[in-house]
Amino acid sequence: MPIKKLDSIFKPKRIALIGVSNEPKSVGGITLKNLISGGYNGVVYPVNPKREAVFGIPCYPDIKSLPKTPDLAVIMTSAQFVPQIIDDCGEAGVHGVIIMSAGFKEAGPEGKILEDRVLQKVKSYPDMRVIGPNCLGILVPGLSMNVSFATTLPKKGHVAFISQSGALCTSVLDWAQEANLGFSYFVSIGNSMDVNFGDLIDYFGQDPNTKSIVLYVESLTHARAFMSAARGFARKKPIIVYKSGRFPESAKAAASHTGAMASEDEIYDAVFRRAGVARVYDIGNIFDFTDLIGRKRAPRG
């Protein structure tokens, strides 16, 4: 699918938060607060049929009741409701979706069946692209847009960070704030049911504000697309990757999070070399190298 369609996710003018609640510490409550207090310049529509308002903002019963079609819908309901919501979004003409909800393939066989069902529905709407499920969300500092339940919005920079681990995202954001490091985009892709590493590398590769990319990989499910995108981007800009699950114990941990068991480490090593990306073997070095390539003058070679 053309990566231009990702503009609905990363450059939305109207965002619907589906399943948002007025509980300040809930996923929906934090995400809504991040958007309305972080300086985002677009329109935010809270959607919840059980509430008239959330934090004093009028709430709509469903996506069809909104005054205008949102560019991006963020789903934070229970997993069982997601298939119907995808249909509602598709029929309403919503092109961008982020599914924060958990309970899909990372939860076991029943969750895998549910995720496959959601994916089939997504495919029936050719203009729809989806990030997630089971993800933290996205942050676009240049638009003061924090569509996530991470409380920190980093400053604007030139590094795009893409991670399959939401927990690592929060650690990197905390560190970036202390180190005064900025990002062009910050993306948690979770199970990457639809939008994958290759799509995002292609998209950020065409963004003039993105000078480098840092990846935290637990498993690659679209290896050919990843290699094609990475080889194109890495010719001009550096890509740094950390692959978790190098050892049996950590491989099991990665599988429990993303629902995909890591393959032999040697295969990943060969893929990264062929794609032209630089691999980091120590997780702590992700921070060091992010700082290094985030500077105005990164070293050559």
Side-chain angles (χ1 to χ4, degrees), residues 201 212-215 226 229-231 233-234 237-241 275-279 293:
I201 292 171
S212 55
I213 297 177
V214 177
L215 309 174
F226 169 82
R231 290 171 75 177
F233 184 95
K237 305 173 184 179
I239 299 178
I240 306 294
V241 60
V277 305
R279 184 175 184 181
I293 63 178

Side-chain angles (χ1 to χ4, degrees), residues 86 118-126 128 130 193-194:
I86 289 293
V118 173
L119 181 57
Q120 288 306 310
K121 286 187 176 291
V122 171
K123 287 181 177 179
S124 66
Y125 302 103
M128 181 182 288
V130 177
M193 175 187 70
D194 175 38

Side-chain angles (χ1 to χ4, degrees), residues 1 9 21 26 44 61 77 92 156 158 179 182 187 206 232 277 280 295:
M1 298 182 186
I9 296 175
S21 81
S26 67
V44 180
T77 64
K156 181 180 178 181
H158 301 289
V187 186
Q206 296 182 25
V277 305
V280 174
R295 297 177 183 176

Side-chain angles (χ1 to χ4, degrees), residues 37-139:
S37 65
Y40 172 62
N41 221 12
V43 179
V44 180
Y45 298 127
V47 177
N48 189 326
K50 297 180 180 179
R51 300 195 179 277
E52 185 178 350
V54 178
F55 300 149
I57 303 173
C59 210
Y60 297 87
D62 52 45
I63 201 82
K64 300 172 185 176
S65 305
L66 300 180
K68 291 188 178 181
T69 302
D71 303 294
L72 173 64
V74 184
I75 303 174
M76 47 193 71
T77 64
S78 297
Q80 61 185 349
F81 301 120
V82 174
Q84 181 57 54
I85 294 172
I86 289 293
D87 272 336
D88 292 343
C89 289
E91 291 169 7
V94 178
H95 294 165
V97 177
I98 297 174
I99 305 175
M100 292 184 177
S101 312
F104 292 91
K105 69 181 180 183
E106 81 286 350
E110 290 185 4
K112 176 68 166 62
I113 293 172
L114 180 59
E115 184 167 320
D116 289 343
R117 184 181 164 204
V118 173
L119 181 57
Q120 288 306 310
K121 286 187 176 291
V122 171
K123 287 181 177 179
S124 66
Y125 302 103
D127 292 326
M128 181 182 288
R129 297 308 310 265
V130 177
I131 286 183
N134 184 34
C135 72
L136 181 81
I138 67 169
L139 299 92

